[in-house]
Amino acid sequence: GIIPDLIINALYLEHLEEGAYARFGDATTLGDVKTLAPGQAYSESPSMAFGASVQKRAGRVHEDYHKTAKKLDAKLGTHADATGPVETEMNSYNSGRVSGLVVGAFGEVSMQVRDLADLVACELNAEHLALFDGAMNESKQMFTQQIRRSIGLAVHRGWAKLLLDRCRDLVQDPRQPRTHTRETDEDDAEAHEYFHFHQTRGGGGHRHTRQV
């Protein structure tokens, strides 16, 4: 089947700038999160531009979704030249555009991740300016920087945890219980909260969230 990781609902957002509106305005968009490990995807990339490999992978997300939709429709009896119910439903989301949110092995992200960050920054900026005076561009840049820093931190911590887990799998006796427990995840969540100067909710307790 097809199960997207998220749906970006921008139907009722009123403060999108021109670029964000062109990508998300008046629509709901399907999004799928992918990671790109080091390997042939980097060595075979024809471009030397930073982020070319993750952008290429992001483009394949859209293609793969529509190929899967056609295969599912074919199983339901839809002719190859016709549009079946699965693809029709997919096309109802932002004209069938699927946003590939790709994270690379070196902390780089696809343009679609930056587009989503820009979408959020637009709305945060509008809420801020409704309460406080300030220059629109300057406050927007402030929110954009905060969001990108948060994403960057989550990306690097996520890759670091993955590498540590794989190292444990290689060197730890499989008959022994794993040492990577829930407490480690709670410590990571606390560190993430401290980094962003967020107060924990619920009377000082920690939020049990897992950063990936």
Side-chain angles (χ1 to χ4, degrees):
I2 298 176
I3 304 177
D5 290 315
L6 71 160
I7 296 178
I8 305 166
N9 187 351
L11 282 172
Y12 306 107
L13 301 183
E14 301 177 353
H15 308 288
L16 300 185
E17 296 180 356
E18 182 177 351
Y21 185 85
R23 294 183 291 268
F24 298 110
D26 291 335
T28 54
T29 305
L30 301 180
D32 200 72
V33 180
K34 299 293 184 183
T35 56
L36 189 64
Q40 290 185 347
Y42 285 92
S43 60
E44 294 178 353
S45 177
S47 174
M48 297 299 292
F50 181 78
S53 297
V54 292
Q55 200 58 48
K56 182 179 178 180
R57 180 66 183 92
R60 279 174 33 213
V61 170
H62 174 87
E63 298 173 2
D64 291 345
Y65 260 66
H66 282 271
K67 287 179 181 178
T68 301
K70 285 186 176 296
K71 289 180 180 179
L72 292 173
D73 283 332
K75 290 182 179 180
L76 296 174
T78 303
H79 193 271
D81 296 331
T83 301
V86 178
E87 191 172 15
T88 298
E89 177 65 19
M90 183 181 298
N91 289 337
S92 68
Y93 293 90
N94 202 351
S95 301
R97 181 187 303 172
V98 182
S99 184
L101 307 168
V102 182
V103 176
F106 304 100
E108 77 277 31
V109 297
S110 64
M111 182 61 69
Q112 288 82 345
V113 176
R114 281 173 261 176
D115 290 344
L116 182 57
D118 186 64
L119 175 75
V120 176
C122 285
E123 285 300 303
L124 290 176
N125 187 43
E127 293 178 3
H128 176 79
L129 293 177
L131 300 173
F132 304 97
D133 292 330
M136 179 179 294
N137 290 337
E138 291 180 2
S139 57
K140 164 73 182 309
Q141 291 175 2
M142 175 187 70
F143 286 113
T144 300
Q145 183 182 26
Q146 290 178 354
I147 295 169
R148 289 184 176 180
R149 187 170 76 164
S150 181
I151 292 174
L153 177 66
V155 167
H156 285 291
R157 291 178 67 86
W159 275 117
K161 288 182 64 177
L162 177 63
L163 292 174
L164 288 173
D165 284 344
R166 289 184 174 177
C167 285
R168 293 188 184 99
D169 291 339
L170 288 173
V171 303
Q172 183 169 325
D173 190 331
R175 295 169 295 181
Q176 298 295 324
R178 291 182 61 84
T179 58
H180 184 61
T181 62
R182 181 180 177 184
E183 286 73 16
T184 305
D185 292 334
E186 293 177 354
D187 291 341
D188 288 346
E190 182 179 3
H192 192 276
E193 295 255 353
Y194 180 81
F195 181 85
H196 292 285
F197 305 102
H198 292 166
Q199 294 183 351
T200 55
R201 300 174 183 174
H206 298 309
R207 286 181 290 174
H208 294 164
T209 57
R210 181 179 180 88
Q211 304 297 326
V212 295

